[in-house]
Amino acid sequence: MHHEQRWHRLNTRVVHMTPWFEVREDSVVRPDAVEDIYHHVVSPGSVTVVAVNDDDHVAVTRQWIYTHEERQWRLPAGSIDKVDRDPRAAAERELAEETGARAEQWEQLGRVNGADSFTNHVDHVFLATAVTMGLANREGAEADLVVHWLPFDEALNLVACGRIRHAGSVYGLLSTGLRRNTERR
């Protein structure tokens, strides 16, 4: 019988806290039975939305991403805030804030772990359809955000040619595209 070796946390302490995440230092016993220190970021997680309108166009944003120091293509996305009752509520809020769109139909496509050894961060990815347009309500950090409604296949091509690299956006577009392929057969 295979005995599974596991990590054991002896204790944890917060070494840095921000309004968005905290950095923790854990004393651990690794699977090889050696005591060690493990630093990691604890995050409330985020959401990404594949919003498809009746013309089969998908909302894709273009924005300066500070940590990557460049303008990037990505789907509407953002953090799960304390005001959000659950990830779907966060997804509804982010879509409305960034694009002005609201959707009647929501489906969770899956969850993406973007940087496992670094953080517990999970991105909850949703498909939003039956979309109606309203006014966007962007926060200050999103002042440069531009929304493009691209034909779905064009957005998928941005993934294929490496121009969309945001993990939740890649996952959302690929899983939606794969689902469409399966439905066509």
Side-chain angles (χ1 to χ4, degrees):
M1 188 169 108
H2 176 68
H3 178 66
E4 185 179 335
Q5 304 286 28
R6 294 191 160 180
W7 290 76
H8 295 286
R9 182 182 302 132
L10 302 174
N11 62 56
T12 185
R13 72 185 187 95
V14 176
V15 293
H16 185 71
M17 186 180 293
T18 80
W20 302 278
F21 63 85
E22 57 189 49
V23 180
R24 290 195 186 169
E25 178 182 279
D26 293 356
S27 297
V28 298
V29 178
R30 300 185 322 215
D32 62 1
V34 173
E35 287 194 24
D36 204 349
I37 300 293
Y38 199 104
H39 294 91
H40 58 106
V41 174
V42 176
S43 156
S46 62
V47 292
T48 299
V49 182
V50 183
V52 184
N53 69 15
D54 292 344
D55 296 329
D56 202 40
H57 284 60
V58 62
V60 182
T61 68
R62 190 113 168 99
Q63 181 184 16
W64 181 265
I65 304 300
Y66 179 82
T67 48
H68 293 286
E69 299 185 338
E70 65 179 6
R71 288 180 65 73
Q72 291 187 353
W73 292 100
R74 58 196 290 174
L75 298 178
S79 295
I80 298 172
D81 292 346
K82 289 179 174 62
V83 298
D84 300 316
R85 71 183 176 281
D86 57 23
R88 176 172 157 181
E92 291 178 15
R93 180 184 50 72
E94 283 292 341
L95 180 63
E97 282 177 6
E98 291 190 8
T99 71
R102 282 149 182 80
E104 285 178 37
Q105 296 175 344
W106 289 85
E107 181 183 348
Q108 184 154 7
L109 293 171
R111 301 169 358 143
V112 175
N113 301 347
D116 281 340
S117 58
F118 173 68
T119 179
N120 71 332
H121 180 270
V122 173
D123 192 0
H124 303 261
V125 184
F126 290 88
L127 175 63
T129 53
V131 171
T132 55
M133 290 307 298
L135 292 174
N137 182 25
R138 298 186 189 122
E139 54 188 37
E142 296 170 332
D144 67 327
L145 184 146
V146 178
V147 179
H148 301 265
W149 287 88
L150 302 179
F152 184 83
D153 288 343
E154 198 176 309
L156 200 54
N157 192 52
L158 287 174
V159 173
C161 69
R163 295 187 64 201
I164 292 181
R165 297 189 305 273
H166 172 253
S169 299
V170 169
Y171 173 85
L173 289 165
L174 287 179
S175 60
T176 302
L178 286 169
R179 175 187 294 193
R180 288 172 172 213
N181 265 353
T182 304
E183 289 169 358
R184 282 188 198 124
R185 287 187 188 145

